[in-house]
mmCIF file of all heavy atoms in Angstrom:
data_model
loop_
_atom_site.group_PDB
_atom_site.id
_atom_site.type_symbol
_atom_site.label_atom_id
_atom_site.label_comp_id
_atom_site.label_asym_id
_atom_site.label_seq_id
_atom_site.Cartn_x
_atom_site.Cartn_y
_atom_site.Cartn_z
ATOM 1 N N LYS A 160 -80.828 62.429 -16.928
ATOM 2 C CA LYS A 160 -79.960 63.559 -16.605
ATOM 3 C C LYS A 160 -79.069 63.230 -15.414
ATOM 4 O O LYS A 160 -77.898 63.637 -15.359
ATOM 5 C CB LYS A 160 -80.816 64.789 -16.304
ATOM 6 C CG LYS A 160 -80.046 66.095 -16.336
ATOM 7 C CD LYS A 160 -80.984 67.289 -16.300
ATOM 8 C CE LYS A 160 -80.200 68.601 -16.381
ATOM 9 N NZ LYS A 160 -81.104 69.771 -16.381
ATOM 10 N N LEU A 161 -79.615 62.499 -14.453
ATOM 11 C CA LEU A 161 -78.826 62.081 -13.298
ATOM 12 C C LEU A 161 -77.661 61.205 -13.745
ATOM 13 O O LEU A 161 -76.516 61.399 -13.316
ATOM 14 C CB LEU A 161 -79.699 61.305 -12.302
ATOM 15 C CG LEU A 161 -78.965 60.696 -11.105
ATOM 16 C CD1 LEU A 161 -78.422 61.804 -10.185
ATOM 17 C CD2 LEU A 161 -79.893 59.764 -10.320
ATOM 18 N N LYS A 162 -77.937 60.269 -14.638
ATOM 19 C CA LYS A 162 -76.907 59.329 -15.086
ATOM 20 C C LYS A 162 -75.871 59.989 -15.989
ATOM 21 O O LYS A 162 -74.752 59.470 -16.136
ATOM 22 C CB LYS A 162 -77.567 58.151 -15.794
ATOM 23 C CG LYS A 162 -78.381 57.270 -14.854
ATOM 24 C CD LYS A 162 -79.076 56.139 -15.587
ATOM 25 C CE LYS A 162 -79.886 55.282 -14.619
ATOM 26 N NZ LYS A 162 -80.596 54.161 -15.309
ATOM 27 N N SER A 163 -76.234 61.102 -16.570
ATOM 28 C CA SER A 163 -75.268 61.809 -17.417
ATOM 29 C C SER A 163 -74.335 62.704 -16.591
ATOM 30 O O SER A 163 -73.317 63.190 -17.087
ATOM 31 C CB SER A 163 -75.998 62.659 -18.459
ATOM 32 O OG SER A 163 -76.696 63.723 -17.842
ATOM 33 N N ALA A 164 -74.698 62.921 -15.319
ATOM 34 C CA ALA A 164 -73.868 63.749 -14.438
ATOM 35 C C ALA A 164 -72.672 62.939 -13.929
ATOM 36 O O ALA A 164 -72.715 61.712 -13.846
ATOM 37 C CB ALA A 164 -74.695 64.250 -13.263
ATOM 38 N N SER A 165 -71.610 63.635 -13.580
ATOM 39 C CA SER A 165 -70.430 62.952 -13.036
ATOM 40 C C SER A 165 -70.677 62.558 -11.588
ATOM 41 O O SER A 165 -71.508 63.162 -10.894
ATOM 42 C CB SER A 165 -69.205 63.868 -13.118
ATOM 43 O OG SER A 165 -69.355 64.963 -12.227
ATOM 44 N N VAL A 166 -69.964 61.545 -11.141
ATOM 45 C CA VAL A 166 -70.070 61.100 -9.749
ATOM 46 C C VAL A 166 -69.674 62.232 -8.806
ATOM 47 O O VAL A 166 -70.262 62.397 -7.733
ATOM 48 C CB VAL A 166 -69.193 59.853 -9.511
ATOM 49 C CG1 VAL A 166 -69.166 59.500 -8.023
ATOM 50 C CG2 VAL A 166 -69.704 58.679 -10.327
ATOM 51 N N ASP A 167 -68.695 63.023 -9.224
ATOM 52 C CA ASP A 167 -68.255 64.151 -8.390
ATOM 53 C C ASP A 167 -69.376 65.169 -8.188
ATOM 54 O O ASP A 167 -69.545 65.708 -7.085
ATOM 55 C CB ASP A 167 -67.044 64.835 -9.030
ATOM 56 C CG ASP A 167 -65.783 63.998 -8.926
ATOM 57 O OD1 ASP A 167 -65.756 63.076 -8.079
ATOM 58 O OD2 ASP A 167 -64.840 64.255 -9.687
ATOM 59 N N ASP A 168 -70.149 65.437 -9.258
ATOM 60 C CA ASP A 168 -71.253 66.401 -9.147
ATOM 61 C C ASP A 168 -72.352 65.867 -8.224
ATOM 62 O O ASP A 168 -72.965 66.636 -7.467
ATOM 63 C CB ASP A 168 -71.836 66.694 -10.535
ATOM 64 C CG ASP A 168 -70.942 67.628 -11.345
ATOM 65 O OD1 ASP A 168 -70.101 68.313 -10.740
ATOM 66 O OD2 ASP A 168 -71.087 67.661 -12.584
ATOM 67 N N ILE A 169 -72.579 64.566 -8.311
ATOM 68 C CA ILE A 169 -73.581 63.952 -7.431
ATOM 69 C C ILE A 169 -73.112 64.013 -5.981
ATOM 70 O O ILE A 169 -73.883 64.302 -5.068
ATOM 71 C CB ILE A 169 -73.858 62.487 -7.841
ATOM 72 C CG1 ILE A 169 -74.416 62.436 -9.262
ATOM 73 C CG2 ILE A 169 -74.835 61.830 -6.862
ATOM 74 C CD1 ILE A 169 -74.586 61.040 -9.808
ATOM 75 N N GLU A 170 -71.819 63.786 -5.791
ATOM 76 C CA GLU A 170 -71.259 63.803 -4.439
ATOM 77 C C GLU A 170 -71.324 65.193 -3.815
ATOM 78 O O GLU A 170 -71.505 65.328 -2.600
ATOM 79 C CB GLU A 170 -69.816 63.315 -4.466
ATOM 80 C CG GLU A 170 -69.206 63.170 -3.086
ATOM 81 C CD GLU A 170 -67.810 62.580 -3.108
ATOM 82 O OE1 GLU A 170 -67.177 62.600 -4.193
ATOM 83 O OE2 GLU A 170 -67.352 62.102 -2.059
ATOM 84 N N LYS A 171 -71.170 66.222 -4.627
ATOM 85 C CA LYS A 171 -71.227 67.595 -4.113
ATOM 86 C C LYS A 171 -72.571 67.904 -3.463
ATOM 87 O O LYS A 171 -72.658 68.717 -2.543
ATOM 88 C CB LYS A 171 -70.970 68.579 -5.251
ATOM 89 C CG LYS A 171 -69.527 68.623 -5.716
ATOM 90 C CD LYS A 171 -69.369 69.569 -6.899
ATOM 91 C CE LYS A 171 -67.923 69.551 -7.422
ATOM 92 N NZ LYS A 171 -67.775 70.420 -8.623
ATOM 93 N N VAL A 172 -73.629 67.229 -3.939
ATOM 94 C CA VAL A 172 -74.967 67.449 -3.391
ATOM 95 C C VAL A 172 -75.296 66.436 -2.296
ATOM 96 O O VAL A 172 -75.772 66.791 -1.215
ATOM 97 C CB VAL A 172 -76.037 67.371 -4.505
ATOM 98 C CG1 VAL A 172 -77.436 67.576 -3.916
ATOM 99 C CG2 VAL A 172 -75.767 68.414 -5.577
ATOM 100 N N PHE A 173 -75.036 65.165 -2.582
ATOM 101 C CA PHE A 173 -75.480 64.099 -1.681
ATOM 102 C C PHE A 173 -74.374 63.500 -0.807
ATOM 103 O O PHE A 173 -74.664 62.719 0.094
ATOM 104 C CB PHE A 173 -76.121 62.975 -2.503
ATOM 105 C CG PHE A 173 -77.383 63.391 -3.198
ATOM 106 C CD1 PHE A 173 -77.383 63.688 -4.550
ATOM 107 C CD2 PHE A 173 -78.578 63.497 -2.504
ATOM 108 C CE1 PHE A 173 -78.554 64.072 -5.204
ATOM 109 C CE2 PHE A 173 -79.746 63.889 -3.135
ATOM 110 C CZ PHE A 173 -79.728 64.178 -4.487
ATOM 111 N N GLY A 174 -73.140 63.845 -1.065
ATOM 112 C CA GLY A 174 -72.034 63.277 -0.291
ATOM 113 C C GLY A 174 -71.860 63.927 1.067
ATOM 114 O O GLY A 174 -72.599 64.832 1.458
ATOM 115 N N LYS A 175 -70.809 63.505 1.779
ATOM 116 C CA LYS A 175 -70.562 63.996 3.146
ATOM 117 C C LYS A 175 -70.295 65.493 3.200
ATOM 118 O O LYS A 175 -70.565 66.151 4.212
ATOM 119 C CB LYS A 175 -69.395 63.236 3.757
ATOM 120 C CG LYS A 175 -68.077 63.456 3.025
ATOM 121 C CD LYS A 175 -66.939 62.674 3.667
ATOM 122 C CE LYS A 175 -65.629 62.929 2.912
ATOM 123 N NZ LYS A 175 -64.506 62.180 3.504
ATOM 124 N N SER A 176 -69.764 66.039 2.112
ATOM 125 C CA SER A 176 -69.425 67.460 2.102
ATOM 126 C C SER A 176 -70.595 68.351 1.697
ATOM 127 O O SER A 176 -70.533 69.571 1.839
ATOM 128 C CB SER A 176 -68.244 67.719 1.151
ATOM 129 O OG SER A 176 -68.595 67.339 -0.175
ATOM 130 N N GLY A 177 -71.685 67.723 1.197
ATOM 131 C CA GLY A 177 -72.854 68.485 0.761
ATOM 132 C C GLY A 177 -73.738 68.878 1.934
ATOM 133 O O GLY A 177 -73.877 68.130 2.902
ATOM 134 N N SER A 178 -74.345 70.052 1.844
ATOM 135 C CA SER A 178 -75.219 70.517 2.926
ATOM 136 C C SER A 178 -76.624 69.920 2.828
ATOM 137 O O SER A 178 -77.356 69.887 3.817
ATOM 138 C CB SER A 178 -75.319 72.049 2.898
ATOM 139 O OG SER A 178 -75.937 72.485 1.692
ATOM 140 N N PHE A 179 -76.986 69.429 1.647
ATOM 141 C CA PHE A 179 -78.352 68.954 1.426
ATOM 142 C C PHE A 179 -78.684 67.743 2.299
ATOM 143 O O PHE A 179 -79.649 67.767 3.071
ATOM 144 C CB PHE A 179 -78.578 68.622 -0.044
ATOM 145 C CG PHE A 179 -79.960 68.113 -0.349
ATOM 146 C CD1 PHE A 179 -81.054 68.962 -0.263
ATOM 147 C CD2 PHE A 179 -80.171 66.796 -0.712
ATOM 148 C CE1 PHE A 179 -82.339 68.497 -0.532
ATOM 149 C CE2 PHE A 179 -81.439 66.323 -0.989
ATOM 150 C CZ PHE A 179 -82.530 67.176 -0.892
ATOM 151 N N THR A 180 -77.888 66.684 2.164
ATOM 152 C CA THR A 180 -78.184 65.460 2.922
ATOM 153 C C THR A 180 -78.047 65.667 4.427
ATOM 154 O O THR A 180 -78.806 65.084 5.209
ATOM 155 C CB THR A 180 -77.271 64.295 2.479
ATOM 156 O OG1 THR A 180 -75.919 64.763 2.398
ATOM 157 C CG2 THR A 180 -77.700 63.756 1.134
ATOM 158 N N SER A 181 -77.085 66.488 4.834
ATOM 159 C CA SER A 181 -76.895 66.704 6.273
ATOM 160 C C SER A 181 -78.096 67.420 6.875
ATOM 161 O O SER A 181 -78.549 67.073 7.977
ATOM 162 C CB SER A 181 -75.618 67.511 6.530
ATOM 163 O OG SER A 181 -75.672 68.777 5.912
ATOM 164 N N LYS A 182 -78.638 68.407 6.155
ATOM 165 C CA LYS A 182 -79.805 69.123 6.666
ATOM 166 C C LYS A 182 -81.041 68.235 6.639
ATOM 167 O O LYS A 182 -81.828 68.232 7.589
ATOM 168 C CB LYS A 182 -80.052 70.385 5.844
ATOM 169 C CG LYS A 182 -81.170 71.254 6.416
ATOM 170 C CD LYS A 182 -81.202 72.638 5.812
ATOM 171 C CE LYS A 182 -82.252 73.513 6.507
ATOM 172 N NZ LYS A 182 -82.258 74.896 6.001
ATOM 173 N N ILE A 183 -81.196 67.480 5.555
ATOM 174 C CA ILE A 183 -82.345 66.577 5.455
ATOM 175 C C ILE A 183 -82.297 65.532 6.567
ATOM 176 O O ILE A 183 -83.313 65.223 7.201
ATOM 177 C CB ILE A 183 -82.378 65.879 4.074
ATOM 178 C CG1 ILE A 183 -82.762 66.877 2.974
ATOM 179 C CG2 ILE A 183 -83.363 64.705 4.084
ATOM 180 C CD1 ILE A 183 -84.151 67.473 3.117
ATOM 181 N N SER A 184 -81.113 64.993 6.830
ATOM 182 C CA SER A 184 -80.956 64.002 7.895
ATOM 183 C C SER A 184 -81.304 64.597 9.248
ATOM 184 O O SER A 184 -81.988 63.968 10.066
ATOM 185 C CB SER A 184 -79.512 63.481 7.912
ATOM 186 O OG SER A 184 -79.305 62.620 9.005
ATOM 187 N N PHE A 185 -80.838 65.821 9.483
ATOM 188 C CA PHE A 185 -81.105 66.493 10.757
ATOM 189 C C PHE A 185 -82.603 66.720 10.960
ATOM 190 O O PHE A 185 -83.151 66.390 12.019
ATOM 191 C CB PHE A 185 -80.363 67.833 10.790
ATOM 192 C CG PHE A 185 -80.609 68.621 12.052
ATOM 193 C CD1 PHE A 185 -79.894 68.355 13.207
ATOM 194 C CD2 PHE A 185 -81.563 69.633 12.087
ATOM 195 C CE1 PHE A 185 -80.124 69.071 14.375
ATOM 196 C CE2 PHE A 185 -81.805 70.356 13.248
ATOM 197 C CZ PHE A 185 -81.077 70.076 14.396
ATOM 198 N N VAL A 186 -83.264 67.270 9.950
ATOM 199 C CA VAL A 186 -84.700 67.553 10.057
ATOM 200 C C VAL A 186 -85.490 66.255 10.213
ATOM 201 O O VAL A 186 -86.408 66.165 11.033
ATOM 202 C CB VAL A 186 -85.207 68.352 8.842
ATOM 203 C CG1 VAL A 186 -86.720 68.538 8.915
ATOM 204 C CG2 VAL A 186 -84.522 69.706 8.767
ATOM 205 N N ALA A 187 -85.119 65.235 9.436
ATOM 206 C CA ALA A 187 -85.816 63.947 9.503
ATOM 207 C C ALA A 187 -85.724 63.349 10.899
ATOM 208 O O ALA A 187 -86.694 62.774 11.416
ATOM 209 C CB ALA A 187 -85.243 62.979 8.479
ATOM 210 N N GLY A 188 -84.565 63.499 11.534
ATOM 211 C CA GLY A 188 -84.400 62.997 12.896
ATOM 212 C C GLY A 188 -85.319 63.700 13.874
ATOM 213 O O GLY A 188 -85.919 63.060 14.759
ATOM 214 N N ARG A 189 -85.464 65.014 13.711
ATOM 215 C CA ARG A 189 -86.356 65.784 14.584
ATOM 216 C C ARG A 189 -87.819 65.425 14.327
ATOM 217 O O ARG A 189 -88.620 65.356 15.255
ATOM 218 C CB ARG A 189 -86.139 67.285 14.377
ATOM 219 C CG ARG A 189 -84.756 67.771 14.774
ATOM 220 C CD ARG A 189 -84.496 67.518 16.268
ATOM 221 N NE ARG A 189 -83.135 67.873 16.678
ATOM 222 C CZ ARG A 189 -82.101 67.050 16.615
ATOM 223 N NH1 ARG A 189 -82.256 65.813 16.134
ATOM 224 N NH2 ARG A 189 -80.908 67.436 17.024
ATOM 225 N N VAL A 190 -88.159 65.207 13.073
ATOM 226 C CA VAL A 190 -89.528 64.805 12.719
ATOM 227 C C VAL A 190 -89.866 63.476 13.383
ATOM 228 O O VAL A 190 -90.942 63.300 13.967
ATOM 229 C CB VAL A 190 -89.700 64.691 11.191
ATOM 230 C CG1 VAL A 190 -91.051 64.064 10.844
ATOM 231 C CG2 VAL A 190 -89.584 66.059 10.532
ATOM 232 N N SER A 191 -88.933 62.532 13.297
ATOM 233 C CA SER A 191 -89.143 61.209 13.892
ATOM 234 C C SER A 191 -89.314 61.290 15.401
ATOM 235 O O SER A 191 -90.216 60.668 15.975
ATOM 236 C CB SER A 191 -87.966 60.294 13.546
ATOM 237 O OG SER A 191 -88.105 59.034 14.162
ATOM 238 N N ASP A 192 -88.451 62.077 16.060
ATOM 239 C CA ASP A 192 -88.539 62.222 17.524
ATOM 240 C C ASP A 192 -89.876 62.841 17.932
ATOM 241 O O ASP A 192 -90.514 62.399 18.893
ATOM 242 C CB ASP A 192 -87.395 63.102 18.036
ATOM 243 C CG ASP A 192 -86.043 62.416 17.933
ATOM 244 O OD1 ASP A 192 -86.015 61.184 17.764
ATOM 245 O OD2 ASP A 192 -85.014 63.122 18.007
ATOM 246 N N ASN A 193 -90.282 63.865 17.204
ATOM 247 C CA ASN A 193 -91.539 64.541 17.513
ATOM 248 C C ASN A 193 -92.735 63.615 17.280
ATOM 249 O O ASN A 193 -93.688 63.595 18.060
ATOM 250 C CB ASN A 193 -91.679 65.800 16.656
ATOM 251 C CG ASN A 193 -92.902 66.617 17.018
ATOM 252 O OD1 ASN A 193 -93.075 67.033 18.154
ATOM 253 N ND2 ASN A 193 -93.773 66.853 16.040
ATOM 254 N N ALA A 194 -92.667 62.842 16.193
ATOM 255 C CA ALA A 194 -93.754 61.904 15.890
ATOM 256 C C ALA A 194 -93.861 60.835 16.971
ATOM 257 O O ALA A 194 -94.964 60.480 17.404
ATOM 258 C CB ALA A 194 -93.516 61.257 14.528
#
């Protein structure tokens, strides 16, 4: 299903404009600092 999706649709979630990766990156950084 991932491979059948367009690159644009993938970018909307995981690209620079998507909120998902930015939030995950932010939380992961805090987890690492706390650990």
Side-chain angles (χ1 to χ4, degrees):
K160 196 169 182 179
L161 175 67
K162 292 178 180 179
S163 67
S165 68
V166 173
D167 288 342
D168 284 341
I169 299 174
E170 186 175 18
K171 287 177 183 177
V172 179
F173 295 102
K175 63 180 180 180
S176 61
S178 64
F179 179 69
T180 46
S181 60
K182 186 166 185 177
I183 289 297
S184 175
F185 178 82
V186 175
R189 296 299 175 272
V190 171
S191 177
D192 290 344
N193 185 57

